[in-house]
Amino acid sequence: MTDTVRVIQTIIKKELVDSLRSLKLILPSGVICFNFCIYATEAQIFALFSDELLLRRQLGSNLMYLSAMAILFLGAILVTRLIYEEKKNKTIHMMLSMGLPPVTLWLAKMLTIAILCELYSLINIGVHLVFLKIAYGYCVLFTGLSAVMTFVMIPVLCIGLQFLLSLAFMFFSKMNLIGTFLQIVPYMAIWNLSAKLIQYTVIPGLALILSLGIGVLMILIACVLVRNIPKDRLVTRID
């Protein structure tokens, strides 16, 4: 068990360094893009709410969509790079030939993705909070529910989705087109949802519990299913 943990830690450190180096231009560009997108919905919020307290609360609730977009964006890139591309260029073949269990390799890569996605989400939110303060003088107000939605539920739900999608990239071949489509659908759902819910300042507790439960369940299902993926599927040609 100790050796497995040490191997996972080593892979995570390597993947973190490599990912940050290879995405050094994409990451800041994404921050600018997502902050602009979330500002497009806030333009409607400013028109809807004249009461400053309600406005600040709604701005806090709106940040959960920024968190979702950031995680889905970076998660899609990392799953493709760390799973699909490494399967294609046979990096995974080499690591498996060294006796590394497929489950251990997959878990290390997915933990790397989860760490980077959560950090990227927090960076996007931090940048937007500073923007709102400088541009409009507003300090965003989080309620208990909106804080949990933004910093816990949405990350768990979106990362859970990436865990499940990673299995498709590991098991199936030629995932370029299908994988892209599967990663675009959540974006469209989040964008449409944000436009429909901008008038609400209270997030139902039941929705929070169900969403968090679904996210945890997806992660658990992925952890169970990955054990049943035959090793030969990981070394199947995909080009």
Side-chain angles (χ1 to χ4, degrees):
M1 182 64 179
T2 303
D3 290 340
T4 301
V5 172
R6 189 178 296 112
V7 169
I8 290 176
Q9 290 176 339
T10 301
I11 296 175
I12 289 175
K13 290 178 183 178
K14 174 185 177 300
E15 297 292 7
L16 284 174
V17 173
D18 291 346
S19 296
L20 291 173
R21 183 183 295 117
S22 63
L23 298 175
K24 59 185 177 182
L25 296 179
I26 295 177
L27 294 179
S29 299
V31 172
I32 295 173
C33 177
F34 294 129
N35 273 268
F36 178 81
C37 289
I38 208 69
Y39 171 73
T41 64
E42 288 172 342
Q44 300 178 57
I45 294 174
F46 292 140
L48 284 173
F49 295 93
S50 57
D51 183 275
E52 182 176 340
L53 180 60
L54 291 178
L55 174 60
R56 291 170 59 200
R57 285 180 179 174
Q58 182 56 43
L59 291 174
S61 297
N62 204 50
L63 288 178
M64 66 180 177
Y65 305 112
L66 178 59
S67 175
M69 289 189 293
I71 293 175
L72 291 172
F73 167 76
L74 184 58
I77 292 176
L78 291 174
V79 168
T80 301
R81 289 190 176 215
L82 300 187
I83 304 295
Y84 181 81
E85 290 187 4
E86 291 198 2
K87 182 180 175 183
K88 184 175 181 179
N89 62 28
K90 294 183 170 47
T91 301
I92 286 181
H93 303 49
M94 181 182 65
M95 300 183 76
L96 293 176
S97 68
M98 297 169 60
L100 188 65
V103 175
T104 301
L105 178 60
W106 172 82
L107 183 59
K109 289 180 176 295
M110 294 313 299
L111 288 176
T112 301
I113 292 172
I115 291 170
L116 286 173
C117 285
E118 179 62 19
L119 289 175
Y120 193 57
S121 171
L122 294 175
I123 290 172
N124 271 273
I125 291 172
V127 169
H128 200 68
L129 291 176
V130 172
F131 166 75
L132 288 175
K133 179 61 178 177
I134 294 176
Y136 298 99
Y138 288 125
C139 290
V140 170
L141 181 62
F142 288 102
T143 63
L145 281 177
S146 65
V148 174
M149 286 282 284
T150 302
F151 299 107
V152 180
M153 188 280 288
I154 286 295
V156 171
L157 189 60
C158 293
I159 290 172
L161 178 62
Q162 300 303 325
F163 268 64
L164 281 182
L165 285 177
S166 72
L167 299 185
F169 281 93
M170 291 183 70
F171 189 83
F172 297 106
S173 300
K174 303 184 184 300
M175 281 293 294
N176 297 51
L177 182 60
I178 298 176
T180 301
F181 174 76
L182 291 175
Q183 292 162 344
I184 289 176
V185 170
Y187 275 106
M188 298 173 63
I190 288 294
W191 188 254
N192 289 331
L193 187 63
S194 65
K196 294 178 185 300
L197 297 182
I198 58 173
Q199 70 266 35
Y200 298 103
T201 58
V202 178
I203 303 168
L206 180 60
L208 169 64
I209 295 172
L210 288 176
S211 301
L212 184 59
I214 292 172
V216 172
L217 183 62
M218 286 192 292
I219 293 174
L220 294 177
I221 290 175
C223 291
V224 172
L225 292 179
V226 73
R227 296 179 179 273
N228 297 316
I229 296 179
K231 187 175 180 179
D232 63 303
R233 295 297 305 184
L234 300 180
V235 296
T236 301
R237 288 180 59 86
I238 60 175
D239 51 354

